[in-house]
Amino acid sequence: MERKYVAEPYKIKVVEPIAVTTQEQREKFIRDAGYNTFLLNSEEVYIDLLTDSGTTAMSDNQWAGMMQGDESYAGSKNFHNLQKAVKDLYGFKHTVPTHQGRGAENLLSQIMIQEGDVIPGNMYFTTTRAHQELNGATFRDVIIDEAHDSTYDHPFKGNVDLEKFQALIDEVGADYIPYICLAVTVNLAGGQPVSMENMKAVSNVSKKHNIKVMFDATRCVENAYFIKEREEGYADKTIAEILHEMMSYADGCTMSGKKDTLVNIGGFLALNDDELYQKATELVVVYEGMPSYGGMAGRDMEAMARGMYEAVDYNYIHHRVSQCQYLGDRLEEAGVPIVKPVGGHAVFLDAKKFYDHIPQDEFPAQTLAAQIYLESGVRSMERGIVSAGRDDDGNHYYPELELVRLTIPRRVYTYAHMDVVADSIIDLYNERAGVEGLKMVYESPVLRFFTARFEPLE
Ligand code: F0G
């Protein structure tokens, strides 16, 4: 029998107890954390849906690999295994290990961007855009308009609008666009995928203008799964085949291995071009380490190489996305406003609709994340005006999407945990009237969402 929500394709060998707290304790904890869920201690959290980044449960096979770490300073055998996995599964010639995704973004931005360049992308990601800007580039969003509408049901809401892309090339000139950064899937749009057809089209336009295509491959396996489920002609292909074809439309990628390579730390920059690789190796020794380990220990490279093969197992990814879908469906059935369709790594609550009486500069998503914690001990993340930061004139960016992300770690929680999350959010939704927003009392100049502090409005 085909089940609507597929059960876990693993059994549990080790358990980690989690904290059960009272409402009274949580009131103190969130106050001490300045109403910012990033500043809570993990011991104060019951179900941690802050992020799917580095929170994966590794398999026994990966842990066995950790014992085979070759910690030689140069030429570690684990590096060769990692290089082989990247070549086999993604098809790229060169791999530069980094400590995590933003280490790869730093290298890529430095080797490719000149002051005054413009980098198109399908919606921004915080660290990706920060590195582009630090290197003197301006980010320009070329995602389809539908991606900014939380209610619009589109199978590939991460797609690039090819007319916007072409218009940007006409406006600034291809010489000022070293590459387009294509995220597969798009985190801030709600974990939305890009279709194979769109990747191919982006690659064709880019080739014509001598613009390189760089993927942010952070959640590329989830993207491959959606292509199998939703795009004509891919139902009978394996996840590995789809992934390989996806990557054939890119010249390289940055990877946060903390997501779709199923590890707790690590990342890489992968490239086909020999000259760019040469430049990356010159920089990696300054920022990370020798090119054959970059920012990683041998054992971590081994766990990553093994995780990459596990991630393309259909049973793994089918369950992963099914669990997100289950949480989304439960909330939607109760009328809670969520981003549709549900993406590959998280369910996003639409805070503008949830608290439609709270103006955006009183931080509805930040407020909702704090309320969810108070109600249930569940930790989520603001992805709205606080995450978007300020422009050069010091004004807030006002993003269309004001969201709270319930991010599901890989292979960590069960459907019963998802029920706790759904029940508490449904209760909050039914009692939403009269909840007041927050005021920001501290912020840092870059990536302020990590450390900003808030107080309730008087
Ligand atoms: N790109 C995307 C799409 C990401 O989601 C992340 C991280 C990065 C790049 C940076 O990778 O953290 O390894 O340096 N996202 C995490 C998150 C932090 O919670 O979504 P990193």
Side-chain angles (χ1 to χ4, degrees), residues 51 100-102 105 125 127 187 216 218-219 256 259 405:
T51 179
Q100 57 183 74
R102 66 199 74 181
E105 291 167 355
F125 183 73
T127 59
N187 186 356
D216 178 341
T218 296
R219 297 181 182 84
S256 169
K259 286 80 160 176
R405 190 180 72 171

Side-chain angles (χ1 to χ4, degrees), residues 38 50-53 99-103 105 125-128 183 185-188 216 218-219 254-259 266-267 345 381 383 405 407 450:
F38 275 105
L50 184 68
T51 179
D52 62 330
S53 183
H99 70 284
Q100 57 183 74
R102 66 199 74 181
E105 291 167 355
F125 183 73
T126 51
T127 59
T128 319
T185 60
V186 184
N187 186 356
L188 296 200
D216 178 341
T218 296
R219 297 181 182 84
T254 54
M255 184 72 188
S256 169
K258 301 167 78 173
K259 286 80 160 176
H345 68 299
M381 184 192 287
R383 290 276 90 148
R405 190 180 72 171
T407 339
F450 284 125

Side-chain angles (χ1 to χ4, degrees), residues 165-286:
F165 183 28
Q166 185 63 54
L168 182 68
I169 297 171
D170 297 341
E171 180 196 328
V172 305
D175 287 352
Y176 292 93
I177 308 178
Y179 64 95
I180 177 169
C181 174
L182 194 67
V184 293
T185 60
V186 184
N187 186 356
L188 296 200
Q192 306 294 339
V194 179
S195 71
M196 195 72 91
E197 193 190 359
N198 193 250
M199 291 179 207
K200 199 188 287 182
V202 167
S203 159
N204 284 338
V205 174
S206 302
K207 272 208 186 92
K208 214 166 80 193
H209 295 279
N210 207 15
I211 295 169
K212 292 226 182 308
V213 179
M214 293 295 168
F215 281 1
D216 178 341
T218 296
R219 297 181 182 84
C220 57
V221 179
E222 288 162 15
N223 202 108
Y225 175 82
F226 285 122
I227 288 175
K228 184 176 169 72
E229 292 291 298
R230 297 179 184 168
E231 192 162 347
E232 217 186 302
Y234 290 94
D236 296 329
K237 293 213 161 38
T238 64
I239 299 292
E241 286 166 342
I242 295 170
L243 190 61
H244 211 274
E245 185 185 339
M246 282 167 56
M247 297 299 171
S248 74
Y249 302 119
D251 298 288
C253 73
T254 54
M255 184 72 188
S256 169
K258 301 167 78 173
K259 286 80 160 176
D260 272 359
T261 75
L262 302 178
V263 292
N264 304 118
I265 193 71
F268 57 80
L269 171 63
L271 295 163
N272 280 331
D273 189 281
D274 296 336
E275 225 171 280
L276 281 175
Y277 173 65
Q278 188 60 37
K279 283 192 187 161
T281 56
E282 288 160 13
L283 272 184
V284 74
V285 293
V286 180

Side-chain angles (χ1 to χ4, degrees), residues 15-21 42-48 412-413 417:
V15 296
E16 177 183 348
I18 49 181
V20 180
T21 54
S42 67
E43 288 118 328
E44 299 160 355
V45 173
Y46 178 41
I47 298 171
D48 203 345
V412 170
Y413 293 115
H417 289 116

